[in-house]
Amino acid sequence: MPRGQFISLEGLEGVGKTTNRLYIESLLVQASIEVVVSREPGGTDLGESLRELLLHGRAGMLAQTELLLMAASRSEHIDKVIEPALSQGRWVLSDRFTDASFAYQGGGRELGANVVAQLHSLIKADLQPDLTLLLDMPIEAGMARAASRGKLDRIESEELAFFERARTAYLQRAADDPRRVKVIDAGQTLEQVQQAVSEALQPLLAKA
Ligand code: T5A
């Protein structure tokens, strides 16, 4: 059985990952592709408990603790959800993956890309998505969208400079691997964003 394809969605707060995840799922279902939809942090029972701590725990968590907990969630997610699905020929659509740690902990928390890469060498560092859609837009506009949904969580409450560093790190990841990471202007109308998302998916869909 051919291995499934792995797609990740990335971007800062409020850029429309959830909205576009649902759209991509509908495109895959229309194409009769069996897809496992998941998220990070989360995706497993333990990962969802870690997500609760990471997003709604008390303030004052050390940057390195945050990175380790993200990686712990990812390790469980890879072994228990992503790898089994891909090897059974199913596709995986994950709301965030490793690029988020490079952006938020490497960039935002200033731990640096080397530390993030070193830690990931302990988990399955060679597993990369076949396609990553990086939804990008000015930070303030994304935060306004996120804020319109209600109270901000622990990470969403960070200062603007944190998100500026995270955005720079995300765009660096895209520049370093343009074949895998496609940057989509998330500040357009939803219809335009979905058109761009659909176009970016075509090469993968053509292989299905
Ligand atoms: N994290 C995660 C790390 O620090 N390191 C890591 O390694 C990992 C894996 C996870 C947090 O953890 C951090 C990053 C995050 O801070 P999350 O699950 O990504 O959190 O956060 P969510 O709250 O689920 O998602 P976001 O806040 O990022 O929002 P979304 O899902 O990007 O945006 P969405 O789809 O809910 O849209 C927001 C609003 O905008 C509207 C939608 O209708 C909605 O109301 N909208 C648009 N409006 C106008 N035009 C468009 N084109 C629109 N698209 C969406």
Side-chain angles (χ1 to χ4, degrees):
M1 173 173 302
R3 194 173 155 84
Q5 300 286 321
F6 179 19
I7 303 168
S8 64
L9 270 168
E10 296 282 0
L12 296 181
E13 318 300 318
V15 293
K17 290 186 313 320
T18 303
T19 309
N20 287 288
R21 190 185 69 203
L22 294 170
Y23 174 64
I24 294 170
E25 189 180 1
S26 74
L27 292 181
L28 297 181
V29 169
Q30 270 171 35
S32 303
I33 292 167
E34 212 182 322
V35 58
V36 173
V37 180
S38 195
R39 67 175 180 181
E40 288 195 5
T44 62
D45 286 349
L46 176 55
E48 290 296 326
S49 301
L50 292 171
R51 180 184 178 92
E52 186 59 28
L53 270 177
L54 280 158
L55 302 193
H56 305 293
R58 289 190 188 164
M61 184 184 290
L62 291 173
Q64 56 268 38
T65 306
E66 186 177 274
L67 173 63
L68 289 163
L69 293 179
M70 293 290 179
S73 167
R74 183 160 303 127
S75 181
E76 293 283 317
H77 193 211
I78 291 172
D79 271 40
K80 295 181 179 165
V81 176
I82 300 176
E83 278 294 351
L86 295 177
S87 60
Q88 287 160 16
R90 285 182 287 162
W91 289 33
V92 174
L93 173 57
S94 184
D95 190 336
R96 301 191 187 277
F97 191 60
T98 312
D99 295 306
S101 289
F102 280 92
Y104 282 80
Q105 283 68 52
R109 298 281 184 227
E110 300 183 274
L111 291 175
N114 286 345
V115 169
V116 179
Q118 270 171 26
L119 177 60
H120 282 79
S121 68
L122 294 176
I123 57 179
K124 207 169 171 2
D126 56 340
L127 177 68
Q128 287 279 17
D130 298 288
L131 174 67
T132 296
L133 300 176
L134 173 55
L135 299 173
D136 180 66
M137 65 188 286
I139 295 160
E140 290 91 338
M143 289 308 296
R145 284 188 195 167
S148 70
R149 289 175 320 196
K151 195 167 173 288
L152 298 179
D153 65 36
R154 190 181 66 82
I155 297 177
E156 287 169 339
S157 308
E158 279 299 330
E159 56 187 19
L160 190 62
F162 170 89
F163 293 108
E164 280 167 354
R165 291 191 295 273
R167 187 183 186 196
T168 300
Y170 259 141
L171 292 172
Q172 186 61 52
R173 296 283 291 168
D176 290 346
D177 195 354
R179 187 200 55 78
R180 174 179 67 86
V181 186
K182 304 296 177 202
V183 182
I184 290 178
D185 176 0
Q188 306 175 93
T189 65
L190 186 54
E191 199 175 46
Q192 289 169 321
V193 173
Q194 291 182 336
Q195 178 63 31
V197 165
S198 170
E199 282 167 17
L201 279 174
Q202 289 315 311
L204 278 199
L205 288 174
K207 288 190 205 165

